[in-house]
Amino acid sequence: MQISDLPYPDPGVPDARSGPRFLVWLGRGQLGGQARSLCWGLVHFCGIAGLPYAVGLGVDAVVRRDGAGLLLVGALLVLIGVAISVGDAMLHRTAVTNWITAAARVQQLLARKTAELGSALTRRVAAGEVVAVSTGDVEKIGWFVEAVSRFLAAAFSVVAICVGLLFYAPSIGVVVAIGVPVLALSVLPLLPRATQRADIQREKAGKATELASDTVAGLRVLRGIGGEELFLGRYREASQEVRKAAVRSARMWALISAIQVLLPGALLITVVWYGSVLVLDGRLAVGELVAAFSAVATMLYPLRHFEEIAMAYSFSRPSAQRAARVLSLTRTDAPEPAAADAGTAQAPAAGGDLYDPATGLLVPAGRFTAVVCGDPDLAGRLAERLGGHPADDGPAADRGSVLLGGVALDELALDTARTLVLVQDKDPVLLSGTLRELFAVPASGAVEPGAALAAAQCGDVLDALLQSAPDGVDDPMDARITERGRSLSGGQRQRLALARSLATDPEVLVLDEPTSAVDSHTEARIADGIAALRAGRTTVVLASSPLLLDRADRVVLIHEGAVAATGTHRELLHGEPLYRAVVTRETDEEQQVARMELTRLEEALTEIEESA
């Protein structure tokens, strides 16, 4: 896979059982790239490994006054120099390619999982953690994947240098062959503690990122209640904890780096001292001593990659663990055998009823059904469940699959389920771009954007977008919307999102409080628009507004997780005290007073009739 070929047609199914398994899975998916990087690394590092011997041969040729041998050594040095340069350039190219392609694979997997789970993702994992995984953690994972081939090539070159010295100058090669493994293994006792400190640093950094993300998302509310300083103070404390953890981690890695410098220096001094003794005794040639010295000096470079791979793994392992935790989430909490069969069911025939066995809610096909829940959280969970996302972290009664035409939604392929049922939650997101791009979503084509905008009463929104548009923009559909629609009011954003949902024209449309941010006059017109535009289509609205409820063909009251009453709005308002309490927000005392007034009125009417 080359960078020009990205994105992947299919990033694959990751092994998300643990962080190390995920890293192994990533490595297996890049065997070709790792092999190319390893080959160029061998060219580069073998050139470095051959440099000391060429220098030694040159010194011997000078001592022997062998001009032809010296020319041969010069040609060999040129060849080695070319190998080192070309190998280094291509190693860097292939290694960075491995880094970018691995990071791109992880980002594609995270994007696919986000699209699969929708808003259910942030109920299971904090939004800040998702941001941390998709940014900093992706880079750490890519770093480890990129460092593996360089480390293998460096390890091969170190072995080659030691073996070469054993044959070239056995008397001094034994010292080097014994000393190098000591150098390579000297930092192993420190790695667990360094890894632990790196894990703590990453954990604290992740929490700080979550806190920052949550603070920014709720900044407008915080300013409204004067709480921004409190949250900023908490972030300062979290950032200071991150700083302290980073300093403690850096100290350990600095100690490892110091050992990596100190011990090779000690080995170099030992080689020079012992080699000088051998030269004076006549047991070692000057060229052999120079070759041994050069070999130890050049080994400092490949040995750095031993430290790098340790650091890369220490930092990437917790990052991979977090990525695996997100990627292991599924649409349902079904056992593995059932989950394996997910997506194999056939789509139901058009015109089927929507049924939720957890609450007993039945939504007849082609009808406008309103659902009233006294608990807003229950309404949100019900909306998600109606869209094929049964909650796995809520009460047991919330679990189970919704049936459309007798077919379980979570057994359908995700694309099929979302084509059939569309859920608009109470806080929909508007992405930046033009209004035309906002409506560029999968749709049946039966509803034009203009009709959807009219039904959602977006006339003033179009005027506002056109007024804020630059000169030359005459069509409001070409006007741009800022990120998350921040330039619009809450009611305007809500109506645009409703128009987008209406334009998709799904078989079943579920709306969770679609008019909570608009005034009553606009709400009444929106209710009429929804009823007219969705005539003959199944529509479910979770709301408690009488204006919406009065336009519904059928109203269902959900109490304590089950259907408590069914009828029209007016029937339930007069015959169901619990429904009246939720819709009119009457207290028990107010209901009692109303019942007493009604009783007195009935008694007065009876007396009048009797006297007549």
Side-chain angles (χ1 to χ4, degrees):
M1 173 65 70
Q2 298 297 321
I3 297 177
S4 58
D5 298 327
L6 294 175
Y8 285 91
D10 180 12
V13 180
D15 185 349
R17 289 176 291 177
S18 67
R21 288 178 183 271
F22 180 61
L23 290 175
V24 171
W25 177 84
L26 274 179
R28 288 204 309 267
Q30 291 189 306
L31 291 179
Q34 293 289 356
R36 287 190 293 271
S37 183
L38 178 59
C39 290
W40 286 114
L42 290 175
V43 171
H44 174 61
F45 284 108
C46 286
I48 294 176
L51 193 61
Y53 308 115
V55 172
L57 291 174
V59 172
D60 285 339
V62 171
V63 172
R64 296 193 308 268
R65 298 180 183 277
D66 182 2
L70 191 59
L71 288 175
L72 184 61
V73 169
L76 180 61
L77 285 174
V78 171
L79 181 62
I80 289 176
V82 172
I84 292 174
S85 301
V86 175
D88 186 26
M90 295 305 298
L91 171 62
H92 179 74
R93 178 185 177 87
T94 53
V96 170
T97 299
N98 289 335
W99 183 344
I100 294 176
T101 51
R105 186 190 292 272
V106 177
Q107 286 177 329
Q108 281 187 250
L109 290 170
L110 291 171
R112 186 174 68 180
K113 182 60 65 174
T114 302
E116 175 187 344
L117 297 178
S119 60
L121 175 62
T122 53
R123 291 206 309 268
R124 306 182 192 182
V125 181
E129 183 172 352
V130 177
V131 173
V133 171
S134 60
T135 53
D137 287 338
V138 167
E139 293 186 4
K140 296 297 186 297
I141 294 171
W143 177 28
F144 175 74
V145 173
E146 176 245 358
V148 168
S149 56
R150 283 209 311 270
F151 163 72
L152 293 176
F156 182 86
S157 69
V158 168
V159 173
I161 291 174
C162 294
V163 173
L165 271 181
L166 286 174
F167 285 96
Y168 181 73
S171 55
I172 196 69
V174 173
V175 176
V176 177
I178 295 174
V180 169
V182 174
L183 295 181
L185 301 177
S186 59
V187 298
L188 284 182
L190 299 177
L191 287 180
R193 182 173 295 182
T195 301
Q196 181 182 15
R197 293 189 179 186
D199 289 349
I200 294 175
Q201 177 196 351
R202 295 298 300 167
E203 181 181 358
K204 291 183 178 296
K207 291 181 178 179
T209 303
E210 294 174 21
L211 182 60
S213 176
D214 294 340
T215 302
V216 171
L219 191 58
R220 180 177 296 181
V221 177
L222 292 174
R223 285 176 176 172
I225 61 175
E228 67 269 22
E229 286 299 326
L230 174 62
F231 275 79
L232 288 175
R234 291 179 180 176
Y235 180 75
R236 291 190 191 99
E237 294 177 0
S239 64
Q240 288 301 312
E241 292 181 3
V242 174
R243 181 187 63 81
K244 293 176 182 178
V247 169
R248 294 184 72 246
S249 178
R251 286 173 179 169
M252 184 57 64
W253 288 112
L255 176 60
I256 292 175
S257 298
I259 292 175
Q260 291 286 347
V261 173
L262 177 63
L263 293 184
L267 177 62
L268 191 61
I269 293 173
T270 303
V271 167
V272 172
W273 171 78
Y274 183 62
S276 301
V277 171
L278 294 177
V279 169
L280 293 176
D281 291 344
R283 290 183 291 169
L284 187 69
V286 175
E288 293 174 339
L289 174 59
V290 173
F293 172 82
S294 302
V296 175
T298 54
M299 265 197 297
L300 297 180
Y301 173 63
L303 281 174
R304 292 176 187 171
H305 292 81
F306 286 69
E307 177 189 353
E308 183 194 15
I309 195 65
M311 290 184 65
Y313 180 73
S314 298
F315 281 94
S316 66
R317 187 177 60 81
S319 297
Q321 186 64 44
R322 276 192 291 271
R325 183 165 61 247
V326 174
L327 295 175
S328 64
L329 299 175
T330 58
R331 291 171 60 194
T332 69
D333 59 344
E336 289 299 327
D341 296 334
T344 60
Q346 295 294 323
D353 295 340
L354 186 68
Y355 176 67
D356 177 25
T359 59
L361 172 64
L362 175 65
V363 179
R367 303 288 297 279
F368 182 3
T369 302
V371 179
V372 176
C373 298
D375 182 4
D377 292 334
L378 174 61
R381 293 197 300 271
L382 177 59
E384 290 296 329
R385 197 163 59 249
L386 292 177
H389 293 287
D392 60 353
D393 55 352
D398 290 346
R399 305 178 185 178
S401 178
V402 171
L403 306 178
L404 178 61
V407 179
L409 283 180
D410 61 0
E411 294 180 2
L412 295 172
L414 182 61
D415 292 342
T416 302
R418 289 187 173 171
T419 300
L420 295 171
V421 182
L422 174 66
V423 178
Q424 177 183 304
D425 60 24
K426 61 184 64 178
D427 187 22
V429 175
L430 300 180
L431 301 179
S432 60
T434 65
L435 190 58
R436 196 181 308 278
E437 293 171 342
L438 179 69
F439 282 87
V441 294
S444 67
V447 178
E448 294 294 329
L453 288 166
Q457 300 298 311
C458 294
D460 63 318
V461 184
L462 299 180
D463 293 338
L465 289 174
L466 199 56
Q467 289 176 3
S468 61
D471 295 337
V473 177
D474 300 326
D475 189 349
M477 296 299 292
D478 295 324
R480 295 194 64 82
I481 301 172
T482 58
E483 181 186 2
R484 300 181 68 89
R486 297 187 189 278
S487 61
L488 303 173
S489 68
Q492 290 174 328
R493 289 196 301 270
Q494 192 175 60
R495 281 178 282 160
L496 277 182
L498 174 60
R500 179 180 57 186
S501 299
L502 292 173
T504 60
D505 190 39
E507 182 174 333
V508 179
L509 177 61
V510 180
L511 304 172
D512 186 8
E513 295 288 354
T515 58
S516 58
V518 300
D519 59 79
S520 57
H521 297 288
T522 305
E523 185 178 31
R525 292 195 295 269
I526 290 175
D528 292 334
I530 294 175
L533 196 63
R534 294 286 300 173
R537 307 287 275 169
T538 306
T539 307
V540 183
V541 176
L542 291 95
S544 58
S545 169
L547 294 173
L548 274 175
L549 300 174
D550 194 39
R551 268 69 171 184
D553 300 325
R554 187 168 178 267
V555 180
V556 179
L557 173 65
I558 304 291
H559 180 63
E560 295 183 353
V563 173
T566 302
T568 65
H569 169 63
R570 297 176 187 274
E571 291 172 350
L572 294 177
L573 193 63
H574 291 89
E576 183 58 50
L578 183 59
Y579 176 83
R580 185 169 58 250
V582 174
V583 173
T584 63
R585 294 176 175 81
E586 290 181 349
T587 63
D588 293 340
E589 182 178 350
E590 290 172 336
Q591 290 186 50
Q592 185 175 2
V593 171
R595 285 194 295 270
M596 292 175 61
E597 291 293 337
L598 181 61
T599 301
R600 283 197 294 268
L601 181 59
E602 291 176 347
E603 292 176 351
L605 290 173
T606 303
E607 292 178 359
I608 293 174
E609 291 176 356
E610 291 177 351
S611 61

